[in-house]
Amino acid sequence: MKILVTGASGMLAADVIPELLKEGHSVVQTDIRKHSKDINILDISSYDETIKNIKDTQPEYVFHFAAETDVDLCEKNPQYAHKVNVLGTENIVLACREVGAGLLYVSTANVFNGEKSEPYVESDEAGSINVYGRSKYQGELIVKKHLCRYFIIRAGWMVGGWELDKKFVYKIIQQLKQGKKNIKAVFDKAGSLTFTKDFAVNFMDVINTQHYGLYHMANKGVCSRYDIAVKIVEFMDLKNKVKVFPVESKEFPLPAPRPRSEMLSNHNLELLGLNNMPFWESSLKEYIKINKDK
Ligand SMILES: NC(=O)c1ccc[n+]([C@@H]2O[C@H](COP(=O)([O-])OP(=O)(O)OC[C@H]3O[C@@H](n4cnc5c(N)ncnc54)[C@H](OP(=O)(O)O)[C@@H]3O)[C@@H](O)[C@H]2O)c1
């Protein structure tokens, strides 16, 4: 299958693209920045550029990963978040409609307000408390409005790419590598993890069903960032040298409010018999084992 990928220089694409190439797909890689020679420059916020690129490529599918993913930057600059995450997605959707391509849009647990005590299922009502979540949800609505052949897959806290990861897991690993002996991590917010490697290995099974629609795809089990930090220390064999302290989120004030819960249940994958995502602890252990000596 011929697939055009947006956001090909990003963290998720770094694991998805090798998997697609391994399966024999023809992959056209695009991004706003050229992370490698295989990337074609495409700014999805330009309508003309997007339509031309997709018309020239004539892909069967577009895997749309490009987004402004910095939650705090989105909060500080909502117009920019709208330009990339909403208008950029609209451009992709219109281009897909023009050439008859299917679309995979990756969304987030941030679309929910976080007040539910159980993990969120696909039928739960959205209601994000930050700009990033609202922009990603608006993207979902545009996809649903204009296309029939689409998959929207919501991921949890994403982990992957090692040094490409700008988020919590790599930040803690860096602190440990720098010899920090006391680590503080937030215990009062819960979430589900999505390892990009597990996503990459499992998502094509869903696409191949042609059961279009909305799916959650998170690793099994839920945790706080404190739970994750404890496990990182254990898997890096530093249990006797490093202490992890649970702290409240107010100790780390951030520009964007974070929902109390970003826990996801892969209910629709269960219904298809395709909930093959591993438990988060085993994926974290494997991730650290493979990368820790880099
Ligand atoms: N990371 C998470 O925790 C998480 C969780 C759930 C869902 N998601 C979703 O999953 C998808 C992939 O996330 P990721 O973590 O791989 O993100 P990422 O590492 O930030 O990659 C996104 C890529 O898109 C590029 N980009 C930004 N603006 C663009 C534009 N106007 N045109 C073309 N490309 C542009 C980025 O370039 P720059 O780096 O130069 O901006 C980056 O290379 C996103 O749609 C995201 O919303 C992410």
Side-chain angles (χ1 to χ4, degrees):
M1 188 155 74
K2 189 172 192 184
I3 300 163
L4 184 140
V5 176
T6 72
S9 298
M11 179 167 98
L12 179 60
D15 274 322
V16 166
I17 290 171
E19 205 61 39
L20 293 176
L21 294 173
K22 208 164 79 188
E23 286 174 21
H25 297 291
S26 153
V27 183
V28 177
Q29 307 183 29
T30 72
D31 199 284
I32 199 167
R33 62 190 164 91
K34 213 170 169 74
H35 176 71
S36 80
K37 65 172 177 31
D38 300 322
I39 310 259
N40 303 322
I41 298 291
L42 168 60
D43 177 357
I44 57 157
S45 65
S46 157
Y47 174 80
D48 290 344
E49 219 182 294
T50 305
I51 292 280
K52 180 175 179 343
N53 211 297
I54 292 181
K55 266 187 167 173
D56 287 351
T57 307
Q58 294 286 324
E60 284 168 76
Y61 253 99
V62 174
F63 289 177
H64 176 35
F65 300 157
E68 181 45 68
T69 57
D70 183 330
V71 179
D72 294 317
L73 189 151
C74 288
E75 202 69 19
K76 287 187 265 181
N77 194 344
Q79 282 178 348
Y80 185 68
H82 186 81
K83 183 176 160 190
V84 179
N85 295 352
V86 182
L87 299 182
T89 298
E90 187 169 65
N91 292 337
I92 293 290
V93 164
L94 295 176
C96 283
R97 208 174 57 173
E98 184 97 8
V99 302
L103 177 71
L104 164 63
Y105 173 72
V106 181
S107 192
T108 165
N110 247 289
V111 300
F112 298 114
N113 70 10
E115 292 308 315
K116 189 178 172 185
S117 50
E118 296 297 309
Y120 283 98
V121 292
E122 290 83 350
S123 53
D124 283 321
E125 204 176 320
S128 181
I129 60 168
N130 59 43
V131 171
Y132 169 72
R134 284 195 291 275
S135 71
K136 291 296 294 184
Y137 185 62
Q138 276 182 275
E140 288 189 15
L141 296 179
I142 291 167
V143 171
K144 285 185 191 168
K145 184 173 163 194
H146 293 287
L147 296 175
C148 302
R149 288 179 56 232
Y150 70 82
F151 288 92
I152 297 170
I153 301 187
R154 291 185 186 140
W157 294 333
M158 224 178 246
V159 187
W162 204 242
E163 70 283 349
L164 287 181
D165 181 1
K166 304 161 205 153
K167 305 256 158 98
F168 177 75
V169 169
Y170 193 63
K171 280 186 191 156
I172 295 292
I173 287 167
Q174 269 180 315
Q175 290 180 16
L176 294 173
K177 286 189 160 222
Q178 285 156 7
K180 211 162 169 195
K181 297 284 175 270
N182 297 312
I183 303 278
K184 286 182 185 177
V186 169
F187 73 91
D188 59 2
K189 308 250 163 164
S192 301
L193 295 180
T194 296
F195 280 84
T196 52
K197 188 83 195 153
D198 296 327
F199 185 103
V201 168
N202 285 291
F203 83 104
M204 278 308 280
D205 290 344
V206 187
I207 306 280
N208 288 333
T209 62
Q210 299 187 26
H211 277 270
Y212 303 110
L214 173 64
Y215 293 87
H216 290 174
M217 188 173 262
N219 287 79
K220 296 191 179 89
V222 297
C223 52
S224 67
R225 290 192 166 90
Y226 169 76
D227 299 327
I228 301 168
V230 167
K231 285 291 169 192
I232 293 173
V233 168
E234 180 186 329
F235 299 148
M236 291 193 69
D237 299 323
L238 293 169
K239 232 171 140 178
N240 298 327
K241 296 188 183 134
V242 175
K243 272 203 162 124
V244 185
F245 295 94
V247 296
E248 290 183 49
S249 39
K250 64 181 182 212
E251 273 218 29
F252 295 110
L254 295 164
R258 303 306 203 264
R260 215 162 46 82
S261 162
E262 291 177 64
M263 299 185 290
L264 293 178
S265 159
N266 302 342
H267 182 67
N268 286 351
L269 286 185
E270 288 284 353
L271 294 179
L272 288 183
L274 287 176
N275 188 15
N276 299 318
M277 294 291 277
F279 280 93
W280 70 268
E281 291 98 325
S282 61
S283 291
L284 180 65
K285 191 173 186 178
E286 187 65 15
Y287 181 64
I288 289 175
K289 190 173 126 193
I290 292 168
N291 292 296
K292 81 173 181 186
D293 297 323
K294 273 187 182 169

